[in-house]
Amino acid sequence: MQMMSRNVLLNMELEEDDDEDGDIVLENFDQTIVCSTFGPLENEQDFRTPEFEEFNGKPDSLYFTDGQRRIDFVLVYEDETKKETNKKGTNEKQRRKRQAYESNLICHGLQLEATRSVSDDKLVFVKVHAPWEVLCTYAEIMHIKLPLKPNDLKTRSPFHTLNWFTKVLSVNESVIKPEQEFFTAPFEKSRMNDFYIQDRDSFFNPATRSRIVYFILSRVKYQVMNNVNKFGINRLVSSGIYKAAFPLHDCRFNYESEDPNCPSERYLLYREWAHPRSIYKKQPLDLIRKYYGEKIGIYFAWLGYYTQMLLLAAVVGVACFLYGYFSQDNCSWSKEVCDPDIGGQILMCPQCDKLCPFWRLNVTCESSKKLCIFDSFGTLVFAVFMGVWVTLFLEFWKRRQAELEYEWDTVELQQEEQARPEYEAQCNHVVINEITQEEERIPFTACGKCIRVTLCASAVFFWILLIIASVIGIIVYRLSVFIVFSATLPTNPNGTDPIQKYLTPQMATSITASIISFIIIMILNTIYERVAIMITNFELPRTQTDYENSLTMKMFLFQFVNYYSSCFYIAFFKGKFVGYPGDPVYWLGKYRNEECDPGGCLLELTTQLTIIMGGKAIWNNIQEVLLPWVMNLIGRYQRVSGSENITPRWEQDYHLQPMGKLGLFYEYLEMIIQFGFVTLFVASFPLAPLLALVNNILEIRVDAWKLTTQYRRMVPEKARDIGAWQPIMQGIAILAVVTNAMIIAFTSDMIPRLVYYWSFSIPPYGDHSTYTMDGYINNTLSVFNITDFKNADKENPYIGLGNYTLCRYRDFRNPPGHPQEYKHNIYYWHVIAAKLAFIIVMEHIIYSVKFFISYAIPDVSKITKSKIKREKYLTQKLLHESHLKDLTKNMGLIAERMGEVVDNSVRPKLE
């Protein structure tokens, strides 16, 4: 009764000043439950606010002022009484909400202690501690798997200690000691004696303690408005009632903790993982997982494995590039372009209607030489290799992921996932569960769900259309600015002008359009990120995994169109539908379609990829490194007391940057977009894997440095795999086969050259007696009569000079005077047939190899399967034997007591 009266009294005090914002709620607990589970609450003040304590002067302390209770979480708020603002009513509302929230935390068994900042007396740090009983209760609710007994089955892969070379690359085990492995099972308080509890303080490690406390913080109510519960620390932080909520780092990153009992894991991670001198070493994945949780651990495991596999792709790509580089001197068609007697005598038709002049073919000499590097036989070999490589990467990663699931004990994790607090808060509709036939609450009906899905899909579709509109704008820019460059850049018939030699109108248009396209891509990304989060929040997925998967699909679909649309345009649309000089095709009825160089659009696609990949890498590094570093630097200068020697651990961590729940999502997205560039368009840029390899080697250490030095510690989360990113990569791998086959067939000039070499260089089509590439350029350029221009008064510096009555253009059409003049000739149809045949053959070969590899390599190795089954069997046996032992013991006690009862009843009769 005393407990209930105090709760009622507090509710009455809070409800006296209720207004339209809703009722402040304190949860009532039965006195016997509270006292027996969490210990008695001694006074009324315990229900309201934590006790204020002075800082004890130990900057690395992770405990309350008593030195006994560990700090599991920290809440930070600004004292309303010290705020310099006139919004007194707003401050009072926030104070009451926070007071109710902290009171309910105490009612849930958490212990709180408040301390003012040593540098800013407006800031208050509320330290949260979960006692043993609370940890046990919620470990059972959350189905957390905890140790039963040491496990001698889990042995690490032998490649760690094969030879001295792998020892050099491996983590120093004398510094980071291997973790002891255990048989585990979901925790149950009723079977507490079965678990391996040597010390209550270490049974729940800091990551698990923080996860449990965050689970409680996310579900405690503080207000009811319109019959909707408002609860959770995330809402309180977003509304400004609290400024931050985070678990603590265990020490400074560059110094070990002064506490001998502290393992200083942050310092070890910085020294052996994030420091530049460790760039050549393997990652300490077990320590990463222990300190940051499985979700971050699996990301770095995937990124490390992807980087290892890129090494092979980079070596083959560099070999193909070098093959093209050293064989460019033997490129006969480039020699013809650069030859003054061949390319210098070929007059090319204007590529626009009025301002563009006629030009000599040898103007494109330099670009044709560069094109020989990328448009070679090595490109075909590399495209086929990458189709196989991506399958090997995905299949071997599945095996590696299965090993990590076993080693990190996340095989049956899916059963443990709880609903998101935001989802639970909206559960106002009662329905009957079809399976249990019991009542359950859901946030909306089937009709409401359909409406939400329709609205979300419409919003995503609108933004995709916006991207397509931006791509159209870039195309219009290309068409417009090409005319300007053609009129302003000098055009010398001899093709010897230095500027003209390296900066042709096509190249100038391509470079400027690529830069503008990159800027637009980054702007749209910034806007859409917020829009996608708003759409997903409105959609209201049930679990955190569902939320991230939904957001992943929205963001990737947008990013796919945003990043790759310009590349698809250059590869498969530019120069494909241009007509011929006398009858060009106009886009939107106004702009004449772009034409490719005489060698094709492959070099322009390479330029586009280089600018986007390079610019994206530079921009991401600026965001990931400079931005948090500058923000922390500014924060340190703004503090009154900047010395870490007197600033407590919780205040040091507060002044670090928050990572955010979607921080890891953006890291995945960045790498998946890069994965798309490496696979989808690799036929045009064999150096893409090398650039990705260098970027990823730096990315791993930059991300490690960022996590350990610039960001607050994230709440550890469980994860068994990389989620929706796996099927996305599989979809990219399937699409990559098609795109690379089409790039070789339609974007490069490889198929027309092969057709000419094997068919048209010899009779009856050619004039040569043997197979040769001589005369190829002349064969691929059709003839046009200048007098057939629609604009008869066309001003041009070449008209009327000499005997120029014909110009050439890139196509396979009949010459003027032919019965079917300007129609496609037989060579065109041979080339089209060869291109289609090549695509079909290449796709079928690579898909067959991919299918065989997927079938031959199981997702989980036999060894891992056996280990999982063996551990499961032994765990069940251990629990059964323990239960049987307890049952036998209880039966023995019952029998013994029954014997005593019989003896006591028989003895008086005998006497």
Side-chain angles (χ1 to χ4, degrees), residues 163-385:
N163 49 48
W164 68 270
F165 182 71
T166 55
K167 286 183 179 180
V168 171
L169 298 179
S170 300
V171 176
N172 188 351
E173 293 188 356
S174 64
V175 177
I176 300 179
K177 297 178 181 178
E179 291 292 321
Q180 184 179 7
E181 302 294 343
F182 293 92
F183 291 109
T184 61
F187 185 78
E188 297 179 28
K189 291 179 65 175
S190 61
R191 311 182 76 170
M192 189 178 296
N193 293 332
D194 295 339
F195 289 86
Y196 190 76
I197 306 176
Q198 288 188 323
D199 180 11
R200 286 190 172 188
D201 293 335
S202 61
F203 181 65
F204 294 98
N205 62 37
T208 303
R209 296 177 68 99
S210 299
R211 194 156 67 93
I212 292 174
V213 171
Y214 181 72
F215 181 87
I216 300 172
L217 295 176
S218 300
R219 285 160 174 79
V220 170
K221 292 184 288 187
Y222 63 89
Q223 189 181 26
V224 176
M225 185 171 64
N226 298 327
N227 294 323
V228 176
N229 294 325
K230 288 190 174 183
F231 55 82
I233 189 62
N234 293 333
R235 276 176 174 262
L236 292 169
V237 172
S238 62
S239 61
I241 296 175
Y242 286 99
K243 297 182 72 68
F246 52 88
L248 290 178
H249 284 296
D250 62 355
C251 65
R252 283 180 283 176
F253 71 88
N254 51 352
Y255 293 101
E256 291 188 82
S257 174
E258 297 177 357
D259 185 356
N261 297 322
C262 177
S264 300
E265 292 173 346
R266 184 190 185 193
Y267 168 75
L268 294 178
L269 285 171
Y270 174 74
R271 174 182 168 182
E272 298 295 324
W273 181 42
H275 199 278
R277 68 186 175 200
S278 300
I279 194 170
Y280 64 92
K281 289 186 177 181
K282 296 178 182 177
Q283 301 181 82
L285 294 177
D286 288 333
L287 185 58
I288 297 170
R289 168 247 182 171
K290 179 184 177 184
Y291 191 76
Y292 288 109
E294 285 78 4
K295 192 170 186 178
I296 289 183
I298 198 72
Y299 163 74
F300 281 102
W302 171 79
L303 181 56
Y305 196 82
Y306 170 47
T307 304
Q308 291 177 17
M309 291 294 291
L310 276 175
L311 180 61
L312 176 61
V315 170
V316 178
V318 170
C320 293
F321 174 80
L322 293 177
Y323 170 81
Y325 179 80
F326 289 113
S327 63
Q328 64 177 327
D329 293 336
N330 300 324
C331 188
S332 58
W333 61 271
S334 177
K335 290 180 179 180
E336 292 183 354
V337 171
C338 298
D339 191 340
D341 296 329
I342 301 177
Q345 299 300 318
I346 296 178
L347 186 68
M348 301 297 293
C349 298
Q351 293 183 311
C352 59
D353 289 335
K354 293 183 179 180
L355 298 178
C356 298
F358 291 85
W359 51 286
R360 298 287 186 180
L361 181 61
N362 63 345
V363 169
T364 61
C365 176
E366 292 299 320
S367 62
S368 68
K369 290 180 180 179
K370 296 173 185 175
L371 191 59
C372 286
I373 300 175
F374 299 101
D375 194 1
S376 64
F377 179 73
T379 301
L380 173 60
V381 174
F382 188 57
V384 175
F385 166 79

Side-chain angles (χ1 to χ4, degrees), residues 104-137:
N104 287 334
L105 289 180
I106 296 174
C107 288
H108 274 74
L110 297 179
Q111 297 176 3
L112 310 181
E113 181 182 86
T115 304
R116 290 198 181 275
S117 169
V118 298
S119 60
D120 185 357
D121 61 353
K122 294 193 295 293
L123 289 179
V124 177
F125 294 87
V126 180
K127 295 166 282 185
V128 183
H129 169 76
W132 170 257
E133 289 293 336
V134 174
L135 293 173
C136 292
T137 299

Side-chain angles (χ1 to χ4, degrees), residues 537-556:
N537 289 338
F538 176 75
E539 188 180 341
L540 200 63
R542 180 180 179 274
T543 66
Q544 184 64 25
T545 300
D546 294 338
Y547 180 90
E548 292 179 0
N549 289 345
S550 178
L551 182 61
T552 296
M553 297 308 297
K554 293 182 182 65
M555 283 296 295
F556 178 75

Side-chain angles (χ1 to χ4, degrees), residues 603-614:
L603 187 60
E604 186 174 348
L605 179 59
T606 303
T607 304
Q608 179 84 1
L609 288 171
T610 305
I611 291 176
I612 293 181
M613 282 190 68

